Amino acid sequence: MSRPDHAPTPPDAARLKIGRQVLALTGLRFNANLGILDHERQGPQPIQVDAELNQGLQPLLPHDDDIHHVLDYRKVRQIIIDECTAEHVNLLETLIGKLAHRLLQLPGVIGVRVRIAKLEIFDDCEVAIRMECGQW
């Protein structure tokens, strides 16, 4: 017994005008006061931050070409630097949690993925932690 052919339902016109948008900042390098080892407490050390911010469904084209109507990545970059350099933090786990929490508070951000690497803690490797929170 054969089944009748069911033609696929045409996509909703609205769905063709939106997409899931993720803002990514990668390779952001600067110095931060971070760590518990003696040489880490003597001064700032280089770190690298990679961040992805899930903004959920967004129009494929903004309603205008004005920076004030989208998430300004210059501000996101500065927030990352400010959060990581505000004070000395002993643990990388503490720093990444603070940063992820702050980024998740940005308007329209529903999920955050952050990776922070300590670039010069050891001579033979870097150490990094990645955290993901919110919706993905």
Side-chain angles (χ1 to χ4, degrees), residues 1-2 9 19 27 35-36 43 47 79 84 99 102 119 122 126:
M1 183 169 161
S2 67
T9 322
I36 60 170
I47 64 170
I79 287 169
C84 291
L99 180 57
R102 175 63 179 94
L119 301 174
F122 301 116
E126 65 182 41

Side-chain angles (χ1 to χ4, degrees), residues 4-132:
D5 282 329
H6 292 299
T9 322
D12 180 37
R15 281 193 349 209
L16 296 176
K17 296 180 181 180
I18 60 172
R20 186 165 316 279
Q21 184 168 301
V22 176
L23 171 65
L25 283 86
T26 58
L28 180 56
R29 292 174 181 248
F30 53 93
N31 292 330
N33 292 310
L34 171 65
I36 60 170
L37 301 175
D38 288 338
H39 71 277
E40 294 174 315
R41 291 185 165 276
Q42 292 175 2
Q45 62 177 295
I47 64 170
Q48 177 176 315
V49 178
D50 300 312
E52 294 179 86
L53 285 65
N54 181 2
Q55 300 174 74
L57 295 177
Q58 299 290 318
L60 292 181
L61 296 173
H63 70 276
D64 62 27
D65 201 27
D66 187 343
I67 188 70
H68 293 69
H69 298 132
V70 297
L71 185 56
D72 186 341
Y73 47 82
R74 297 170 302 174
K75 292 179 182 175
V76 174
R77 176 186 171 275
Q78 195 59 54
I79 287 169
I80 292 170
I81 293 169
D82 291 348
E83 282 294 320
C84 291
T85 59
E87 61 186 351
H88 181 91
V89 178
N90 288 333
L91 300 176
L92 188 53
E93 291 84 352
T94 301
L95 182 60
I96 200 165
K98 286 175 49 177
L99 180 57
H101 180 263
R102 175 63 179 94
L103 293 173
L104 198 52
Q105 293 177 21
L106 290 170
V109 173
I110 61 172
V112 172
R113 289 181 178 142
V114 179
R115 179 183 182 271
I116 301 177
K118 295 169 75 171
L119 301 174
E120 296 179 5
I121 184 172
F122 301 116
D123 292 336
D124 57 355
C125 69
E126 65 182 41
V127 174
I129 291 186
R130 183 168 188 241
M131 179 170 279
E132 180 176 307

